[in-house]
Amino acid sequence: MTVLALDIGASKFAAGLVHDGTNVHAVRQIVVPPEAVWEACRDLLLEVAGDEPITAIGIGSAGPVDVRTGVTAPLNIPEWKSGFEIVAAVQKLFPTATISFAIDGACLALAEHHVGALRGIPNGLAMTVSSGIGGGIIADGRVVVGRTGNAGHIGHIVVPGWDTPCLCGGVGCVEAVASGMSSVRWATQQGWQGTTGKELSEAAHAGDEIALAALHRAGTALGQAIASAAALLDVDICVIGGGFAQSGEPLWKPMRAALDKHARLDFTRDLRVELSRISNGATLVGAGVLATGQATADAIG
């Protein structure tokens, strides 16, 4: 069985071939272009597939999604924001392949539950903090997907103290405050000269005051959101992956402080928050798990 996995992110596409459900190789990644988005995605898939006989495809996408209709509508991809029929488009490319589709957060949760920090954990939260913020929920050993497939969309928990507009149309969403894109946007408004979340993190570690303030702001909002999610879900652990999550203490110290301040219920005080140990693309791993059928009906609810 040759499985193709696709990760539709807020600012990039990644694709790879999956062996044994969790071993992803031949990974290629591209920046999402401002236009001709499907054409770029199509070319990436064809490049990665090569001459392999693709029998199954797993797709994990930034949301919102509608898994019932195979439509993705990522807020950060303007050309697709009103909805793009990704499953139908991929099926046309690979007409004999079986296609599985989920929000990227559900794929994250599947990956962590199979090979990561949520392995053997019945109740947990998986998050990505990168260009955007997403999440997936493990509840009583099952990945929760919800009515349309958008369960776990923690990026749109509203955090107190900020009225920052969000691309969803609301204000004060944690994604609008704490994602890599949002943090860079805020820092440049304060006079910082960089352009990426990685540069912002490096500047914070070098002592740049604006960069430190941006990461403190993001970490505080993340801690608030995680505390709220923990009170709602009663989870054992929250595992966080994604490029911006790698920012270290300038981000994690204020996040832990906000958790200590807000997670005060007996069942939330001992919540563990850890950095993901999956280094080969958790969404791709989860998409592979989904596509190979390892995520049985008993594991997804």
Side-chain angles (χ1 to χ4, degrees):
M1 176 184 249
T2 303
V3 174
L4 180 62
L6 171 65
D7 173 10
I8 299 171
S11 60
K12 53 85 179 168
F13 292 140
L17 298 176
V18 184
H19 287 164
D20 302 322
T22 57
N23 182 21
V24 184
H25 66 100
V27 175
R28 300 287 185 275
Q29 181 173 306
I30 61 170
V31 174
V32 177
E35 54 187 23
V37 174
W38 164 242
E39 289 76 8
C41 182
R42 175 198 64 198
D43 292 348
L44 173 67
L45 290 172
L46 291 173
E47 177 190 353
V48 172
D51 296 327
E52 295 277 353
I54 302 299
T55 54
I57 300 169
I59 304 171
S61 176
V65 300
D66 191 331
V67 297
R68 303 166 301 182
T69 59
V71 169
T72 182
L75 296 176
N76 291 291
I77 303 180
E79 194 171 277
W80 286 4
K81 190 175 179 180
S82 61
F84 178 74
E85 294 180 350
I86 185 65
V87 171
V90 173
Q91 189 75 78
K92 189 174 181 180
L93 271 188
F94 302 94
T96 62
T98 300
I99 299 179
S100 302
F101 174 50
I103 196 167
D104 54 1
C107 290
L108 288 174
L110 280 171
E112 295 291 351
H113 198 48
H114 275 71
V115 298
L118 298 182
R119 191 170 187 178
I121 303 293
N123 297 284
L125 175 65
M127 289 181 62
T128 181
V129 180
S130 189
S131 298
I133 294 176
I137 303 163
I138 301 289
D140 297 329
R142 293 161 61 92
V143 177
V144 179
V145 295
R147 177 177 58 89
T148 61
N150 287 287
H153 218 138
I154 191 172
H156 297 279
I157 282 182
V158 176
V159 289
W162 289 281
D163 57 1
T164 310
C166 182
L167 288 174
C168 73
V171 294
C173 297
V174 66
E175 180 169 293
V177 179
S179 71
M181 274 185 179
S182 300
S183 296
V184 167
R185 189 179 304 118
W186 181 86
T188 56
Q189 290 169 352
Q190 314 310 309
W192 184 67
Q193 299 297 310
T195 59
T196 69
K198 183 178 179 181
E199 290 173 354
L200 188 66
S201 173
E202 291 170 349
H205 282 276
D208 183 280
E209 291 186 3
I210 295 175
L212 283 167
L215 265 66
H216 188 278
R217 177 178 183 268
T220 300
L222 284 170
Q224 291 172 334
I226 294 167
S228 295
L232 179 66
L233 300 172
D234 192 12
V235 292
D236 301 296
I237 180 174
C238 173
V239 57
I240 307 176
F244 200 53
Q246 313 293 322
S247 296
E249 284 301 291
L251 180 74
W252 283 70
K253 186 175 179 180
M255 180 174 66
R256 292 192 192 100
L259 270 171
D260 288 343
K261 180 178 180 180
H262 295 285
R264 306 301 298 169
L265 294 165
D266 287 344
F267 68 91
T268 63
R269 271 189 200 139
D270 295 329
L271 175 71
R272 289 182 290 142
V273 181
E274 297 182 4
L275 187 65
S276 174
R277 299 187 293 270
I278 299 177
S279 59
N280 58 344
T283 299
L284 290 177
V285 172
V289 171
L290 192 68
T292 56
Q294 293 185 66
T296 64
D298 289 337
I300 300 179

